[in-house]
Amino acid sequence: MASGGGIYRNGTHRNSLKGTTTTATASTDRPFSVNSNPSKPAPKNKSSSLAGASSALRKSSPGSLGGGAAKDDAGVPGRVRVAVRLRPRNAEESVADADFADCVELQPELKRLKLRKNNWDTDTYEFDEVLTEFASQKRVYEVVAKPVVEGVLDGYNGTIMAYGQTGTGKTYTLGRLGEEDTANRGIMVRAMEDILAEVTPERDFVSVSYLQLYMESLQDLLDPTNDNISIVEDHKSGDVSLPGATLVEIRDQQSFLELLRLGEAHRHAANTKLNTESSRSHALLMVHVKRSVKGREPAHPSENGNNTNMAKSLRPPLVRKGKLVVVDLAGSERIDKSGSEGHTREEAKSINLSLSALGKCINALAENSAHVPVRDSKLTRLLRDSFGGTARTSLVITIGPSPRHRGETASTIMFGQRAMKVENMLKLKEEFDYKSLARRLDIQLDNLIMDHERKEKAFEVEIGRITTDAQNRISEAERNYADATEKERLKYQKDYMESIKKLEEKWMMNQQNQGSERKEQMIHTAEEVAELKKLLSKETSLRKEAEEEVNNLKSQLAQLKMSEASANSEILKLRKMLEGEISQKEKLEGEISMLQSQLLHLSFEADETRRRLDRGEPGKVTGGLDSLISQVRPQLKDSGNGEKASVAKLFEQVGLQKILSLLEAEDADVRIHAVKVVANLAAEETNQQKIVEAGGLKSLLVLLGNSDDETIHRVAAGAIANLAMNEMNQELIISQGGISLLSMTATNAKDPQTLRMVAGAIANLCGNDKLQTKLRGEGGVKALLGIVKCGHPDVLAQVARGIANFAKCESRASSQGSKTGRSLLIEDGALPWIVQNANSDASPIRRHIELALCHLAQNEVNAKDMISKGALWELVRISQDCPREDIRTLAHRTLTSSPTFIAELRQLQTDY
């Protein structure tokens, strides 16, 4: 939501952030854990303290926003987490409220906020997280939204909501796109980045709806023509669905940003006195995440590999469905302040009515009332799962610093306090995807049928080919045999006829030539008969060879018939295999039918279980945590409340050595919490010597040099600053290279709080007379002068204190005769900065600078440098105008005791 004067709402800050004053104790920030319970209630000064905040966490009542849902599985209790964020002053407030202090004071290290009732009385409240005007968008996302987004990825519903007066930065916190500067991206953009980074496009599904509730009309920001979407509630499960809303699948971050731009273009906004671009509707971004769960094996695997594969294929896949709802509420406003008129006035009334209905529901849930007025507004119907339901909810309330809007700020704070009493029962949205299993089995069945048909067709073709080949070979053998037999018969017949003819001719010739030649003919005939016998024997052998060839052909024919018989048996075998495949197909169809009946039976049992739970009867429900929390981690997290009693108890139970060993843990969260505990222990003087003897100082210096985490740098530097208050520890810090590590940390640090801790540690070391030369030689003075670039008042105050301590030690050494020559501060170029800040508006800076000038002036060797740099005139001013009498007296005594200063003032004819 844009702030008055246009500081937020898709723009950059126009005013510099205002600094806050904190103590030198190490910061005890802790992660924004959604499931953790509050360590203690939020106290409030005097009669305004919350009476019920000290009670144990309340279970969800039947009248909660999600009370209509029948609990069909176990739930994990999770209280609504509330963070408060302060907007910096805008241009208008800087002018109008210039003479007035802010109405709120933040103590982020204590998770505490003070609201000023008047100049002498304040009310104190505690929240899960207190975010100053210096908090970055990344910091806000990590402590408010990131745990909820991680829960959605694990299968839980989650809600992130911003509540506050118009112009306090709700839309800036949630919906900023970060087109000009990516560091300004809001929760919506960062949440989608994390979701897309975790999901797998091939197996997971992410879809988005973007809606607005305008004048009690639910409208689609992605389709402006769809301006009256109905709300459908499932009375059994308690889920709320919007079947008419546009649902867009998201594959990449760019398409999501385009959807956000489209939705913002269609959202209603107006110009009021409090906000130049005030949202006139409640915006709801719904992100649906469906993820497949992999890696689970069957409970009883079969020894047969095929059966195991079949069991895996018949096991339905497990999916988790999480829904993230990001709610940018329209700002509450008083019409007399906003100046709304006409239609804008009606819009303001509608906004205030819906916010009032939400407040009534929160009050009823906080008081554990039997009736919660959920149906008074569409807004409360949409958020029934977020408060008292099954969702993991984070609420960020936004406030402004102006005392003119103290009433609205107090109302917002009380809304957050009541919301912290609401507890949800978080439920894992995990189910079997039987539809996907049925589709997969149908596809497998179709593939098996097609494969069987293909094999059957191939078998039939092969059998036909073998049969045809056998028939062709048999026909060819029979034909060859008949041809060979006919040829032999014709040949023998021809030869026989020719022989008979020759014999008849010869006989005729013999008959005609009966005479003298008969004898010769007889001889010749005998020779011819012998020759004919030879021919006959030859023909007989040829006939035997033909018969043998016929027998061979007959044996080949028998072999072909045997091949045909084996082919027929193979065909019968293939037919039996086909019949087996058909029976297996029928078996699969029966198993599918059995699974469908089991699904119906499970659905019936689930309905029976829900009915028994509705009647209050016991039923079997599954659930539980998958792992136990370790012993030390919760103790470390509980120690972040800043209470000395809790730290002392932790110290007694765990032991110092075990706490110090956690500084080297691989888990970054464990290291952060461990160093916070050590820092709190180091704040007690009685613990400092024990920490040093146990090696705690060395561990802190190693952690400061090796870690890249800004929080570890800040807390470790604060712990070293506490240890540096002891003179013996100061020598150890410098001997172990502490100055170099602190200088390196100051060079790389971005956070003003880290620089303040580093400057405080160096300032404590500057107060040791024996370490002046080592401190300056290892770059301690230059590190202090480098830190002044930060410009933060608290950081500059620590720098000024260090310079004053260093100058005091030099002055004491000069008076004792152990040091001669110019001041090391002047040689390192600190004098111009000292003169520049001698008349600073911040009293802590001015006081330390005035003392530093007085100590430098006590050494006569420094007088000429101080005159040339203008320090003499500051000394004169201090001796006359300083509000502290001791410093004013010291400055006057220094001026009157220096011959060089006296001569210069007489020459200039100046009274002193």
Side-chain angles (χ1 to χ4, degrees):
M1 183 66 65
S3 64
I7 293 182
Y8 292 125
R9 189 75 174 183
N10 296 334
T12 57
H13 291 278
R14 295 181 181 175
N15 295 329
S16 62
L17 299 177
K18 184 177 180 181
T20 58
T21 303
T22 59
T23 63
T25 306
S27 172
T28 57
D29 293 340
R30 57 184 174 183
F32 188 75
S33 175
V34 174
N35 282 327
S36 63
N37 292 329
S39 58
K40 69 174 192 173
K44 181 180 176 184
N45 288 343
K46 300 184 178 180
S47 61
S48 60
S49 63
L50 297 173
S54 62
S55 62
L57 290 177
R58 177 186 61 80
K59 301 294 182 182
S60 297
S61 66
S64 64
L65 289 181
K71 290 180 173 56
D72 57 351
D73 56 1
V76 180
R79 178 175 59 77
V80 174
R81 312 296 294 174
V82 181
V84 58
R85 188 182 193 187
L86 176 65
R87 169 182 59 76
R89 287 193 179 192
N90 54 36
E92 179 185 353
E93 292 170 348
S94 298
V95 176
D97 301 335
D99 297 331
F100 300 95
D102 292 348
C103 66
V104 293
E105 178 184 350
L106 304 185
Q107 296 177 330
E109 67 278 2
L110 300 178
K111 308 290 189 284
R112 186 176 295 170
L113 177 147
K114 290 185 177 182
L115 177 64
R116 290 190 175 89
K117 298 173 63 175
N118 45 49
N119 291 334
W120 57 87
D121 195 6
T122 60
D123 291 336
T124 304
Y125 304 91
E126 281 193 359
F127 290 92
D128 295 301
E129 194 68 37
V130 175
L131 302 168
T132 67
E133 62 267 39
F134 302 106
S136 65
Q137 291 283 74
K138 179 181 179 182
R139 167 70 175 165
V140 175
Y141 171 75
E142 288 179 348
V143 301
V144 174
K146 190 167 186 177
V148 179
V149 174
E150 291 174 349
V152 171
L153 289 170
D154 290 337
Y156 293 91
N157 288 346
T159 301
I160 304 167
M161 188 170 72
Y163 177 93
Q165 182 190 9
T166 182
T168 53
K170 296 185 295 303
T171 302
Y172 176 84
T173 300
L174 296 181
R176 186 67 183 272
L177 299 182
E179 295 175 327
E180 298 177 357
D181 185 358
T182 56
N184 290 332
R185 292 169 296 164
I187 288 176
M188 291 181 181
V189 178
R190 294 177 184 268
M192 184 55 68
E193 287 177 353
D194 284 356
I195 290 173
L196 293 177
E198 292 294 329
V199 300
T200 303
E202 294 78 12
R203 296 186 293 104
D204 303 332
F205 183 80
V206 180
S207 59
V208 167
S209 295
Y210 200 10
L211 312 169
Q212 70 173 352
L213 183 61
Y214 175 70
M215 300 286 286
E216 283 302 302
S217 174
L218 191 58
Q219 303 175 0
D220 196 334
L221 289 174
L222 303 180
D223 183 10
T225 59
N226 190 6
D227 58 358
N228 190 14
I229 300 173
S230 59
I231 302 174
V232 178
E233 301 175 11
D234 188 343
H235 296 287
K236 292 184 179 181
S237 64
D239 292 336
V240 177
S241 59
L242 307 172
T246 301
L247 195 63
V248 180
E249 182 180 0
I250 300 300
R251 289 289 184 177
D252 54 68
Q253 186 71 9
Q254 186 61 35
S255 61
F256 176 69
L257 292 176
E258 292 175 359
L259 287 181
L260 288 184
R261 294 190 192 99
L262 178 62
E264 284 297 319
H266 294 148
R267 191 176 178 187
H268 290 277
N271 185 3
T272 66
K273 291 182 180 179
L274 296 178
N275 193 350
T276 58
E277 196 174 349
S278 174
S279 299
R280 314 307 291 170
S281 65
H282 307 299
L284 295 92
L285 176 70
M286 295 185 178
V287 182
H288 302 268
V289 180
K290 180 179 178 182
R291 303 188 70 191
S292 299
V293 181
K294 297 183 65 178
R296 294 192 181 179
E297 296 296 332
H300 302 286
S302 173
E303 295 181 358
N304 191 322
N306 295 331
N307 294 338
T308 301
N309 294 332
M310 183 179 296
K312 288 184 179 180
S313 64
L314 294 178
R315 184 164 53 89
L318 194 64
V319 296
R320 289 178 178 174
K321 297 180 180 180
K323 180 174 71 174
L324 174 64
V325 180
V326 183
V327 185
D328 181 10
L329 294 175
S332 60
E333 62 182 58
R334 295 178 59 180
I335 296 177
D336 57 344
K337 289 187 178 182
S338 64
S340 301
E341 297 178 353
H343 185 66
T344 307
R345 185 186 187 94
E346 296 301 321
E347 292 175 338
K349 289 181 179 179
S350 177
I351 292 171
N352 290 337
L353 283 175
S354 60
L355 293 178
S356 175
L358 178 61
K360 290 179 181 178
C361 291
I362 297 298
N363 290 341
L365 290 172
E367 296 171 1
N368 203 11
S369 175
H371 171 67
V372 180
V374 180
R375 297 192 171 276
D376 288 357
S377 171
K378 287 187 178 180
L379 178 62
T380 54
R381 291 176 63 191
L382 289 169
L383 298 179
R384 67 179 301 168
D385 191 44
S386 303
F387 293 95
T390 63
R392 178 175 280 142
T393 301
S394 284
L395 171 66
V396 55
I397 60 173
T398 57
I399 60 176
S402 175
R404 291 179 297 163
H405 304 304
R406 185 193 175 282
E408 290 80 354
T409 301
S411 175
T412 302
I413 292 172
M414 294 309 299
F415 179 88
Q417 290 286 296
R418 288 189 290 269
M420 289 177 66
K421 296 182 180 181
V422 179
E423 182 184 4
N424 297 345
M425 295 299 293
L426 311 182
K427 292 183 180 179
L428 182 65
K429 306 296 181 180
E430 190 175 70
E431 62 186 26
F432 290 107
D433 193 355
Y434 288 102
K435 293 182 179 179
S436 176
L437 173 62
R439 288 194 299 269
R440 189 170 72 246
L441 291 177
D442 288 340
I443 293 173
Q444 291 180 359
L445 183 58
D446 292 340
N447 291 336
L448 286 174
I449 292 173
M450 292 174 61
D451 188 39
H452 293 163
E453 292 177 350
R454 185 169 57 254
K455 288 181 179 180
E456 182 179 1
K457 187 176 180 180
F459 290 155
E460 291 177 354
V461 171
E462 183 66 18
I463 291 171
R465 186 187 65 78
I466 294 173
T467 303
T468 302
D469 187 33
Q471 290 176 352
N472 292 335
R473 292 176 66 182
I474 291 171
S475 298
E476 184 178 0
E478 291 177 347
R479 188 169 54 251
N480 292 336
Y481 176 74
D483 292 343
T485 304
E486 184 65 23
K487 286 180 180 179
E488 290 295 327
R489 188 183 66 80
L490 293 175
K491 181 180 178 182
Y492 294 153
Q493 186 177 3
K494 183 179 179 181
D495 293 340
Y496 177 74
M497 293 301 295
E498 289 178 354
S499 299
I500 295 298
K501 187 178 181 180
K502 288 180 178 180
L503 290 173
E504 288 177 351
E505 290 177 353
K506 288 179 180 182
W507 184 79
M508 291 292 293
M509 289 175 66
N510 289 333
Q511 288 293 329
Q512 292 175 2
N513 298 320
Q514 293 177 357
S516 58
E517 294 180 357
R518 180 178 295 275
K519 188 175 180 178
E520 293 179 0
Q521 290 179 352
M522 290 293 291
I523 296 171
H524 184 68
T525 301
E527 291 177 357
E528 287 183 354
V529 170
E531 186 177 356
L532 286 173
K533 287 180 178 179
K534 291 180 180 179
L535 289 174
L536 182 59
S537 62
K538 184 177 180 181
E539 291 296 334
T540 301
S541 64
L542 289 175
R543 183 178 182 84
K544 288 180 180 179
E545 291 177 0
E547 289 177 353
E548 290 177 358
E549 186 175 357
V550 169
N551 290 332
N552 290 334
L553 290 174
K554 286 182 179 180
S555 64
Q556 291 180 4
L557 180 61
Q559 290 178 357
L560 289 175
K561 289 182 178 180
M562 290 176 63
S563 298
E564 182 180 5
S566 64
N568 291 333
S569 64
E570 187 175 357
I571 291 171
L572 292 175
K573 195 175 185 180
L574 292 173
R575 286 179 179 173
K576 289 181 180 180
M577 291 176 62
L578 183 60
E579 290 175 357
E581 295 291 342
I582 293 173
S583 65
Q584 188 174 2
K585 171 185 173 184
E586 293 174 353
K587 184 178 179 181
L588 287 174
E589 291 175 349
E591 290 178 352
I592 292 173
S593 300
M594 183 178 67
L595 286 175
Q596 291 175 349
S597 65
Q598 290 178 359
L599 177 60
L600 293 175
H601 182 64
L602 289 175
S603 300
F604 175 77
E605 288 182 353
D607 293 337
E608 287 295 324
T609 303
R610 293 191 186 99
R611 284 194 291 271
R612 288 199 300 270
L613 290 174
D614 290 338
R615 294 195 300 266
E617 298 177 0
K620 293 183 178 180
V621 290
T622 60
L625 296 175
D626 294 336
S627 62
L628 296 175
I629 303 175
S630 63
Q631 176 185 3
V632 179
R633 183 190 295 271
Q635 292 177 342
L636 292 179
K637 290 185 177 180
D638 291 341
S639 68
N641 58 11
E643 294 295 332
K644 296 179 180 178
S646 299
V647 175
K649 185 177 180 181
L650 175 67
F651 179 59
E652 294 174 359
Q653 293 179 351
V654 178
L656 181 59
Q657 289 294 342
K658 190 170 184 180
I659 295 174
L660 293 177
S661 67
L662 293 177
L663 295 176
E664 302 176 359
E666 295 182 359
D667 192 332
D669 291 338
V670 174
R671 291 200 304 272
I672 291 174
H673 290 297
V675 74
K676 288 179 180 179
V677 173
V678 175
N680 282 317
L681 291 173
E684 295 291 334
E685 186 176 356
T686 56
N687 299 329
Q688 292 178 357
Q689 189 63 27
K690 296 178 181 178
I691 293 174
V692 174
E693 291 176 354
L697 175 59
K698 183 177 180 181
S699 298
L700 288 171
L701 292 173
V702 172
L703 192 63
L704 192 66
N706 296 338
S707 176
D708 296 330
D709 189 272
E710 185 83 3
T711 301
I712 291 179
H713 286 174
R714 180 177 69 252
V715 182
I720 294 172
N722 289 333
L723 295 176
M725 298 173 67
N726 183 284
E727 185 174 352
M728 294 179 62
N729 295 341
Q730 292 173 355
E731 296 179 359
L732 289 175
I733 291 172
I734 291 185
S735 65
Q736 296 180 11
I739 290 297
S740 301
L741 292 173
L742 290 170
S743 301
M744 180 181 66
T745 303
T747 303
N748 299 328
K750 303 285 190 213
D751 186 7
Q753 297 302 323
T754 304
L755 293 173
R756 180 173 68 87
M757 295 300 178
V758 173
I762 298 177
N764 290 339
L765 296 174
C766 288
N768 193 318
D769 298 345
K770 304 175 183 178
L771 306 176
Q772 294 277 296
T773 305
K774 290 184 179 179
L775 180 66
R776 191 244 186 169
E778 294 185 12
V781 176
K782 291 186 178 179
L784 275 179
L785 296 177
I787 292 175
V788 302
K789 296 178 181 179
C790 171
H792 194 282
D794 293 345
V795 177
L796 297 182
Q798 294 298 325
V799 174
R801 183 170 70 87
I803 291 176
N805 289 343
F806 198 93
K808 182 178 179 181
C809 291
E810 281 192 328
S811 174
R812 188 160 49 238
S814 297
S815 62
Q816 295 174 356
S818 60
K819 182 186 183 304
T820 58
R822 288 197 310 164
S823 169
L824 299 178
L825 291 173
I826 295 177
E827 291 182 357
D828 285 346
L831 187 57
W833 184 84
I834 295 175
V835 174
Q836 180 182 356
N837 291 271
N839 197 17
S840 173
D841 293 335
S843 59
I845 300 175
R846 185 175 64 253
R847 182 177 70 254
H848 291 307
I849 293 298
E850 289 172 349
L851 286 172
L853 284 172
C854 292
H855 291 314
L856 288 174
Q858 289 178 354
N859 188 353
E860 186 68 18
V861 180
N862 300 329
K864 292 184 180 180
D865 291 304
M866 295 183 69
I867 292 173
S868 63
K869 300 297 183 180
L872 175 59
W873 302 111
E874 295 298 333
L875 279 173
V876 173
R877 179 191 61 76
I878 294 170
S879 66
Q880 296 174 354
D881 300 334
C882 181
R884 289 186 51 172
E885 183 179 356
D886 55 341
I887 298 177
R888 189 169 63 250
T889 302
L890 178 62
H892 186 269
R893 185 170 67 248
T894 301
L895 287 173
T896 56
S897 63
S898 172
T900 305
F901 288 156
I902 294 173
E904 181 69 17
L905 292 173
R906 286 178 178 174
Q907 182 179 356
L908 298 174
Q909 298 180 355
T910 302
D911 295 332
Y912 57 92

